[in-house]
Amino acid sequence: MSAKQQLLQKIAAREARVAIIGLGYVGLPLAVVFGEAGFGVTGIDIDERKVSQLNAGASYIEGIPSERVARLVDGDLLVATSDYGALNDCDAVSICVPTPLGKTRSPDISFIVQAAEKIARHLRPGMLVTLESTTFPGTTTEIILPRCERVAGGLRVGEDFFLCFSPERVDPGREDWTTENTPKVVGGVTPACLEIATALYGAAIDRIVSVSSPEAAEMTKLLENTFRAVNIGMANEVLLICDKLGLDAWEVIEAAATKPFGFMKFLPGPGLGGHCIPVDPQYLSWKMRTLGYTPRFIELASYVNQAMPGYWVRKVQDALNEAGKAINGSRILVIGVAYKRNVSDLREAPALDIIELLLARGAQIAYHDAYVPAFTHGGMTLTSEADLMEAVRSADCVLIAADHAGYDWETIHRLAHMVVDTRATLKSFV
Ligand code: SAJ
């Protein structure tokens, strides 16, 4: 019986053991979903704290309650380790490691390379390897495949082992679209690779979307998030345009959004934050530049989005100036430093850029964020104000950077001497 047939049989019988490399906001939900589909799962992570928490039946990921983890651990369907040797007992391995930007905003795929080299040392006939981490087209076949073939000498992809790309589409904390019900795109190096990945992922996830190659799957994910970055850039440029025309950008965009077809609403804001949207398009942009092509929409959107913190600092300057004040020496309260509403994540948060720019101009900065009790950035440690309304009263200017739910925005509007509102949060009170 061929390696493919053997693996397909083990998948059908739920006898295939699945390894997940990287137990973060992508890997842990995926591990739980495979476990709940009846597969034995081995989670592998370099962070011993994550390993011990999971083995104790505790979750550290928003949206994955500990009960779901404990049930699998108690049922011997989930075990965590930092030892890649555990791959010797696994038939499939999904790579869910971070793909950040390096210092020069170029792709940092070092975590993928490290995982690929460790996996290759344990590769044997009948194994499926699937890369999930968002990356530039070509990573699967140009980075992972050669390492597998070189280290596991003589094994042939599509015959002895199988290799795919399947992008993660996890939106942390979201309850309507989850790992199990979000359609899963899969591209295989060969048809046999695709067939096996479709069988495995299809056993745990409602809908599989097959594409013709790993590159098509890699590009699909980058298109999804580049689409957002470019349209958010467009929304921010609409703000700049409306500013010049003396129009309310939010009024215009909300009115345009009443069009029931052919329009999709994006709103202006303080800039582009998060660990996905500001990062993923740069992976595509970098790859295209190596091929001698400059993707202008991506570059322009990045330029507009990155200029938004400076735009809002000028708005603070203008507002203070009208009151005969300067930024220098003024007390400015920033409400909401997280990268978007109702999250605690500070990665690439535009509020941090705004705070840096204001401090450079001599402002006295205070902040309040119910999701972020304290943070350290650029050697500076700030703590969220204990008394929000007192902080609002005593500020020369309030800048709203994240419109979190649960705030008494009406009272804030009433008590603030002046407000620069990057999210039009107070629009209904004006
Ligand atoms: N933003 C705007 N205007 C908008 C939308 C977003 O300024 O109209 C800002 C946000 O404040 C944030 C940044 O852009 O700073 C990114 O916003 P986002 O809503 O795209 O948030 P993310 O980074 O959490 O995006 C995730 C992505 N999920 C995955 O990559 C799997 C994205 O693909 C989802 O579409 C998005 O969540 C979502 O829809 O919530």
Coordinates of all heavy atoms in Angstrom, one line a residue, residues 95 99 107 109 112-113 116 129-146 163-169 184-189 194 209-227 276 279-288 291 298:
I95 N 2.5 24.0 10.9 CA 3.4 25.0 11.4 C 2.6 26.3 11.5 O 2.1 26.9 10.6 CB 4.5 25.2 10.4 CG1 5.3 23.9 10.1 CG2 5.5 26.3 11.0 CD1 6.3 24.0 9.0
T99 N 5.3 35.3 11.9 CA 6.0 35.8 10.8 C 6.0 37.3 10.9 O 5.2 38.0 10.2 CB 5.4 35.3 9.4 OG1 4.0 35.5 9.5 CG2 5.8 33.9 9.1
P107 N 10.5 40.8 5.6 CA 10.0 39.6 6.2 C 11.1 38.9 7.1 O 12.2 38.9 6.7 CB 9.7 38.7 5.0 CG 9.4 39.6 3.9 CD 10.4 40.8 4.1
I109 N 11.3 35.4 8.4 CA 10.8 34.0 8.4 C 11.7 33.0 9.1 O 11.6 31.8 8.9 CB 10.6 33.5 6.9 CG1 11.9 33.4 6.1 CG2 9.5 34.3 6.2 CD1 11.8 32.6 4.8
I112 N 9.9 30.1 10.7 CA 9.5 29.1 9.8 C 10.7 28.2 9.5 O 10.6 27.0 9.5 CB 8.9 29.7 8.5 CG1 7.6 30.4 8.7 CG2 8.8 28.7 7.4 CD1 6.9 31.0 7.5
V113 N 11.8 28.9 9.2 CA 13.1 28.1 8.8 C 13.5 27.2 10.0 O 13.7 26.0 9.8 CB 14.2 29.1 8.5 CG1 15.5 28.3 8.3 CG2 13.9 29.9 7.2
A116 N 11.1 24.3 10.1 CA 11.3 23.4 8.9 C 12.5 22.5 9.1 O 12.4 21.3 8.9 CB 11.4 24.2 7.6
V129 N 3.1 17.7 5.9 CA 3.6 18.9 6.5 C 2.8 20.0 5.9 O 2.6 20.1 4.7 CB 5.1 19.2 6.2 CG1 5.6 20.5 6.8 CG2 5.9 18.0 6.7
T130 N 2.2 20.9 6.8 CA 1.3 22.0 6.3 C 1.8 23.3 7.0 O 1.9 23.4 8.2 CB -0.1 21.8 6.6 OG1 -0.6 20.5 6.1 CG2 -1.0 22.9 6.0
L131 N 2.2 24.3 6.1 CA 2.6 25.6 6.7 C 1.3 26.4 6.7 O 0.6 26.5 5.7 CB 3.6 26.2 5.8 CG 4.0 27.7 6.1 CD1 4.6 27.7 7.5 CD2 5.0 28.2 5.1
E132 N 1.0 27.1 7.9 CA -0.1 27.9 8.1 C 0.3 29.4 8.2 O -0.5 30.3 8.0 CB -0.9 27.5 9.3 CG -1.6 26.1 9.1 CD -3.0 26.1 9.7 OE1 -3.5 27.1 10.2 OE2 -3.7 25.1 9.6
S133 N 1.5 29.6 8.6 CA 1.9 31.0 8.9 C 1.9 31.9 7.7 O 2.3 31.4 6.6 CB 3.3 31.0 9.5 OG 3.5 30.1 10.5
T134 N 1.4 33.1 7.8 CA 1.2 34.0 6.7 C 2.6 34.4 6.2 O 3.5 34.8 7.0 CB 0.5 35.3 7.1 OG1 -0.7 34.9 7.7 CG2 0.3 36.2 5.9
T135 N 2.9 34.2 4.9 CA 4.2 34.5 4.3 C 4.1 34.8 2.8 O 3.0 34.7 2.2 CB 5.1 33.3 4.6 OG1 6.4 33.6 4.1 CG2 4.6 32.0 3.9
F136 N 5.2 35.1 2.2 CA 5.2 35.5 0.8 C 5.1 34.3 -0.1 O 5.6 33.2 0.3 CB 6.5 36.3 0.5 CG 7.8 35.7 0.8 CD1 8.4 34.7 0.0 CD2 8.5 36.0 2.0 CE1 9.6 34.1 0.3 CE2 9.7 35.4 2.3 CZ 10.2 34.5 1.5
P137 N 4.5 34.4 -1.2 CA 4.4 33.3 -2.2 C 5.7 32.7 -2.5 O 6.7 33.4 -2.8 CB 3.7 33.9 -3.4 CG 3.0 35.1 -2.9 CD 3.9 35.6 -1.8
G138 N 5.8 31.4 -2.4 CA 7.1 30.7 -2.7 C 7.8 30.1 -1.4 O 8.6 29.3 -1.5
T139 N 7.3 30.6 -0.3 CA 8.0 30.1 1.0 C 7.9 28.6 1.1 O 8.9 27.9 1.4 CB 7.3 30.7 2.2 OG1 7.4 32.2 2.1 CG2 8.0 30.3 3.5
T140 N 6.7 28.0 0.8 CA 6.5 26.6 1.0 C 7.4 25.8 0.1 O 8.1 24.9 0.6 CB 5.0 26.2 0.7 OG1 4.2 27.0 1.6 CG2 4.8 24.7 1.0
T141 N 7.5 26.1 -1.2 CA 8.3 25.3 -2.1 C 9.7 25.7 -2.2 O 10.6 24.9 -2.5 CB 7.7 25.4 -3.5 OG1 7.4 26.8 -3.8 CG2 6.3 24.7 -3.6
E142 N 10.0 27.0 -1.8 CA 11.4 27.4 -1.9 C 12.2 27.3 -0.6 O 13.4 27.3 -0.6 CB 11.5 28.9 -2.4 CG 10.9 29.1 -3.8 CD 10.7 30.6 -4.1 OE1 11.2 31.5 -3.3 OE2 9.9 30.9 -5.0
I143 N 11.5 27.3 0.5 CA 12.1 27.3 1.8 C 11.9 25.9 2.5 O 12.9 25.3 3.0 CB 11.6 28.4 2.8 CG1 11.7 29.8 2.1 CG2 12.3 28.4 4.1 CD1 13.1 30.3 1.9
I144 N 10.7 25.5 2.6 CA 10.4 24.3 3.3 C 10.8 23.0 2.5 O 11.5 22.1 3.0 CB 8.9 24.2 3.8 CG1 8.7 25.4 4.7 CG2 8.6 22.9 4.4 CD1 7.4 25.4 5.5
L145 N 10.3 22.9 1.3 CA 10.5 21.7 0.5 C 12.0 21.3 0.4 O 12.4 20.2 0.7 CB 9.9 21.9 -0.9 CG 10.0 20.7 -1.9 CD1 9.5 19.4 -1.2 CD2 9.3 21.0 -3.2
P146 N 12.9 22.3 0.0 CA 14.3 21.9 -0.1 C 14.9 21.3 1.2 O 15.7 20.4 1.2 CB 15.0 23.2 -0.5 CG 14.0 24.1 -1.0 CD 12.7 23.7 -0.3
L163 N 3.3 17.9 1.3 CA 3.6 19.3 1.7 C 2.5 20.2 1.1 O 2.2 20.2 -0.1 CB 5.0 19.7 1.2 CG 5.4 21.1 1.5 CD1 5.5 21.4 3.0 CD2 6.8 21.3 0.9
C164 N 2.0 21.1 2.0 CA 0.9 22.0 1.6 C 1.1 23.4 2.3 O 1.9 23.5 3.3 CB -0.5 21.5 2.1 SG -1.0 20.0 1.1
F165 N 0.3 24.3 1.8 CA 0.2 25.6 2.5 C -1.3 25.8 2.7 O -2.1 25.6 1.8 CB 0.7 26.8 1.7 CG 0.6 28.1 2.5 CD1 1.6 28.4 3.4 CD2 -0.5 29.0 2.3 CE1 1.4 29.6 4.2 CE2 -0.6 30.1 3.0 CZ 0.4 30.5 4.0
S166 N -1.7 26.2 3.9 CA -3.1 26.5 4.3 C -3.1 27.7 5.2 O -2.8 27.5 6.4 CB -3.7 25.3 4.9 OG -5.1 25.6 5.2
P167 N -3.5 28.8 4.7 CA -3.4 30.0 5.6 C -4.3 30.0 6.8 O -5.5 29.5 6.7 CB -3.8 31.2 4.6 CG -4.6 30.5 3.5 CD -4.0 29.2 3.4
E168 N -3.8 30.6 7.9 CA -4.7 30.7 9.1 C -5.6 31.9 8.8 O -5.3 32.9 8.2 CB -3.8 31.0 10.3 CG -2.9 32.2 10.3 CD -3.6 33.5 10.8 OE1 -4.8 33.4 11.2 OE2 -2.9 34.5 10.8
R169 N -6.8 31.8 9.4 CA -7.8 32.9 9.2 C -8.4 33.2 10.6 O -9.6 33.4 10.7 CB -8.9 32.5 8.2 CG -8.5 32.7 6.8 CD -9.6 32.2 5.9 NE -9.5 32.7 4.5 CZ -10.3 32.3 3.5 NH1 -11.3 31.4 3.8 NH2 -10.1 32.8 2.3
K184 N -11.4 27.0 4.8 CA -10.0 26.8 4.9 C -9.4 26.6 3.5 O -9.7 25.6 2.9 CB -9.7 25.6 5.8 CG -8.2 25.5 6.3 CD -8.0 26.4 7.5 CE -6.8 26.0 8.3 NZ -5.5 26.5 7.7
V185 N -8.6 27.5 3.1 CA -7.9 27.4 1.8 C -6.7 26.4 1.9 O -6.0 26.5 2.8 CB -7.5 28.8 1.3 CG1 -6.6 28.7 0.0 CG2 -8.7 29.7 1.1
V186 N -6.6 25.5 0.9 CA -5.4 24.6 0.9 C -4.8 24.5 -0.5 O -5.6 24.3 -1.4 CB -5.9 23.2 1.4 CG1 -4.7 22.2 1.5 CG2 -6.6 23.2 2.8
G187 N -3.5 24.6 -0.5 CA -2.8 24.3 -1.8 C -1.7 23.3 -1.6 O -0.9 23.5 -0.6
G188 N -1.6 22.3 -2.4 CA -0.6 21.2 -2.3 C 0.5 21.3 -3.3 O 0.3 21.8 -4.4
V189 N 1.7 20.8 -2.9 CA 2.8 20.8 -3.9 C 2.5 19.8 -5.0 O 2.8 20.1 -6.2 CB 4.1 20.4 -3.2 CG1 5.2 20.1 -4.2 CG2 4.5 21.4 -2.1
L194 N -2.4 17.6 -1.8 CA -3.7 18.3 -1.6 C -4.8 17.4 -1.2 O -5.6 17.7 -0.2 CB -4.2 19.0 -3.0 CG -5.5 19.7 -3.0 CD1 -5.6 20.8 -2.0 CD2 -5.9 20.2 -4.4
V209 N -11.3 24.8 0.9 CA -11.3 25.4 -0.5 C -10.0 25.1 -1.1 O -8.9 25.6 -0.7 CB -11.4 27.0 -0.3 CG1 -11.4 27.6 -1.7 CG2 -12.7 27.3 0.4
S210 N -10.0 24.2 -2.1 CA -8.7 23.7 -2.7 C -8.3 24.7 -3.8 O -9.1 25.2 -4.5 CB -9.0 22.4 -3.4 OG -9.4 21.4 -2.5
V211 N -7.0 25.0 -3.8 CA -6.4 25.9 -4.9 C -5.3 25.1 -5.5 O -4.9 24.0 -5.0 CB -6.0 27.2 -4.4 CG1 -7.1 28.1 -3.9 CG2 -4.9 27.1 -3.3
S212 N -4.8 25.6 -6.6 CA -3.9 24.8 -7.5 C -2.5 24.6 -7.0 O -1.7 23.8 -7.5 CB -3.9 25.4 -8.9 OG -3.4 26.8 -8.8
S213 N -2.1 25.4 -6.0 CA -0.7 25.3 -5.6 C -0.5 26.0 -4.2 O -1.3 26.8 -3.8 CB 0.2 26.1 -6.6 OG -0.1 27.5 -6.6
P214 N 0.6 25.7 -3.6 CA 0.9 26.4 -2.3 C 1.0 27.9 -2.6 O 0.6 28.7 -1.7 CB 2.2 25.8 -1.9 CG 2.4 24.5 -2.6 CD 1.7 24.7 -3.9
E215 N 1.6 28.3 -3.7 CA 1.7 29.8 -4.0 C 0.4 30.4 -4.1 O 0.2 31.6 -3.6 CB 2.5 30.0 -5.3 CG 4.0 29.6 -5.2 CD 4.3 28.1 -5.2 OE1 3.4 27.3 -5.5 OE2 5.4 27.7 -4.9
A216 N -0.6 29.7 -4.7 CA -1.9 30.3 -4.8 C -2.5 30.5 -3.4 O -3.2 31.5 -3.1 CB -2.8 29.4 -5.7
A217 N -2.3 29.6 -2.6 CA -2.8 29.7 -1.2 C -2.1 30.8 -0.4 O -2.7 31.5 0.3 CB -2.7 28.3 -0.5
E218 N -0.8 30.9 -0.6 CA 0.0 31.9 0.1 C -0.5 33.3 -0.4 O -0.7 34.2 0.4 CB 1.5 31.7 -0.2 CG 2.1 30.6 0.5 CD 3.4 30.1 -0.2 OE1 3.6 30.4 -1.4 OE2 4.2 29.4 0.5
M219 N -0.7 33.4 -1.7 CA -1.2 34.7 -2.3 C -2.6 35.0 -1.8 O -3.0 36.2 -1.6 CB -1.1 34.6 -3.8 CG -1.5 35.9 -4.5 SD -0.4 37.3 -4.0 CE -1.5 38.7 -4.5
T220 N -3.5 34.0 -1.7 CA -4.8 34.2 -1.3 C -4.9 34.9 0.1 O -5.6 35.9 0.3 CB -5.6 32.9 -1.1 OG1 -5.6 32.2 -2.4 CG2 -7.0 33.1 -0.6
K221 N -4.1 34.5 1.0 CA -4.0 35.1 2.4 C -3.5 36.5 2.3 O -4.1 37.4 2.9 CB -3.1 34.3 3.3 CG -2.9 34.9 4.6 CD -4.1 35.0 5.5 CE -3.8 35.7 6.8 NZ -4.9 35.8 7.8
L222 N -2.5 36.7 1.5 CA -1.9 38.1 1.4 C -2.9 39.0 0.7 O -3.1 40.2 1.1 CB -0.6 38.1 0.6 CG 0.5 37.4 1.4 CD1 1.8 37.3 0.5 CD2 0.8 38.0 2.7
L223 N -3.7 38.5 -0.3 CA -4.7 39.3 -0.9 C -5.7 39.8 0.1 O -6.1 40.9 0.2 CB -5.4 38.6 -2.0 CG -6.6 39.3 -2.6 CD1 -6.3 40.7 -3.1 CD2 -7.3 38.4 -3.7
E224 N -6.2 38.8 1.0 CA -7.2 39.1 2.0 C -6.8 40.3 2.8 O -7.6 41.3 3.1 CB -7.5 37.9 2.8 CG -8.2 36.8 2.1 CD -8.1 35.5 2.9 OE1 -7.7 35.4 4.1 OE2 -8.4 34.4 2.3
N225 N -5.6 40.3 3.3 CA -5.2 41.3 4.3 C -4.6 42.6 3.6 O -4.8 43.7 4.1 CB -4.2 40.8 5.3 CG -4.9 39.9 6.3 OD1 -6.2 39.8 6.3 ND2 -4.2 39.4 7.3
T226 N -4.1 42.4 2.4 CA -3.7 43.6 1.6 C -5.0 44.4 1.2 O -5.0 45.6 1.2 CB -2.9 43.2 0.4 OG1 -1.7 42.5 0.8 CG2 -2.5 44.4 -0.5
F227 N -6.0 43.6 0.9 CA -7.3 44.3 0.5 C -7.7 45.2 1.7 O -8.1 46.4 1.5 CB -8.4 43.2 0.3 CG -9.8 43.7 0.2 CD1 -10.3 44.3 -0.9 CD2 -10.6 43.6 1.4 CE1 -11.6 44.8 -1.0 CE2 -11.9 44.1 1.3 CZ -12.4 44.7 0.2
C276 N -1.4 41.7 12.0 CA -1.7 41.2 10.6 C -1.6 42.2 9.5 O -0.8 42.2 8.6 CB -3.0 40.5 10.6 SG -3.3 39.2 11.7
V279 N 1.4 44.2 8.5 CA 2.6 43.3 8.3 C 2.5 42.5 7.0 O 3.4 42.5 6.1 CB 2.8 42.3 9.5 CG1 3.9 41.3 9.2 CG2 3.1 43.1 10.8
D280 N 1.3 41.9 6.8 CA 1.2 41.0 5.7 C 1.4 41.6 4.3 O 2.2 41.0 3.5 CB -0.2 40.3 5.7 CG -0.4 39.5 7.0 OD1 0.6 39.3 7.7 OD2 -1.6 39.1 7.2
P281 N 0.9 42.8 4.0 CA 1.2 43.4 2.7 C 2.6 43.7 2.5 O 3.1 43.6 1.3 CB 0.3 44.7 2.8 CG -0.7 44.5 3.8 CD -0.1 43.6 4.8
Q282 N 3.4 43.9 3.6 CA 4.8 44.1 3.4 C 5.5 42.9 3.0 O 6.6 42.9 2.3 CB 5.4 44.7 4.7 CG 4.8 46.0 5.2 CD 4.6 47.0 4.1 OE1 5.6 47.3 3.4 NE2 3.4 47.6 4.0
Y283 N 5.0 41.7 3.3 CA 5.6 40.4 2.8 C 5.4 40.3 1.3 O 6.3 39.9 0.6 CB 4.9 39.2 3.5 CG 5.6 38.8 4.8 CD1 5.6 39.6 5.9 CD2 6.3 37.6 4.8 CE1 6.3 39.2 7.1 CE2 6.9 37.1 6.0 CZ 6.9 37.9 7.1 OH 7.6 37.5 8.2
L284 N 4.2 40.8 0.8 CA 4.0 40.7 -0.6 C 4.8 41.8 -1.3 O 5.5 41.5 -2.3 CB 2.5 40.9 -0.9 CG 2.0 40.9 -2.4 CD1 2.4 39.6 -3.0 CD2 0.5 41.1 -2.5
S285 N 4.9 42.9 -0.7 CA 5.6 44.0 -1.3 C 7.1 43.7 -1.5 O 7.7 43.8 -2.5 CB 5.5 45.3 -0.5 OG 6.1 46.4 -1.1
W286 N 7.6 43.1 -0.4 CA 9.1 42.7 -0.4 C 9.3 41.7 -1.5 O 10.2 41.8 -2.3 CB 9.4 42.1 1.0 CG 10.8 41.5 1.0 CD1 12.0 42.2 1.3 CD2 11.2 40.2 0.7 NE1 13.1 41.4 1.2 CE2 12.6 40.1 0.9 CE3 10.5 39.0 0.4 CZ2 13.3 38.9 0.7 CZ3 11.2 37.8 0.2 CH2 12.6 37.8 0.3
K287 N 8.4 40.7 -1.6 CA 8.6 39.6 -2.6 C 8.6 40.2 -4.0 O 9.4 39.8 -4.8 CB 7.5 38.5 -2.4 CG 7.5 37.4 -3.5 CD 8.7 36.5 -3.4 CE 8.7 35.4 -4.4 NZ 9.9 34.5 -4.3
M288 N 7.6 41.1 -4.2 CA 7.5 41.6 -5.6 C 8.7 42.5 -5.9 O 9.2 42.5 -7.1 CB 6.2 42.5 -5.7 CG 5.0 41.6 -5.5 SD 5.0 40.0 -6.3 CE 5.2 40.5 -8.1
L291 N 11.4 40.7 -7.4 CA 11.1 40.3 -8.8 C 11.1 41.5 -9.7 O 10.6 41.4 -10.8 CB 9.8 39.5 -8.8 CG 9.7 38.2 -8.0 CD1 8.3 37.6 -8.0 CD2 10.7 37.2 -8.5
I298 N 0.0 48.9 -2.6 CA 0.5 48.5 -1.2 C 1.4 49.6 -0.6 O 1.2 50.1 0.5 CB 1.2 47.2 -1.3 CG1 0.3 46.1 -1.8 CG2 1.8 46.9 0.1 CD1 1.0 44.8 -1.9

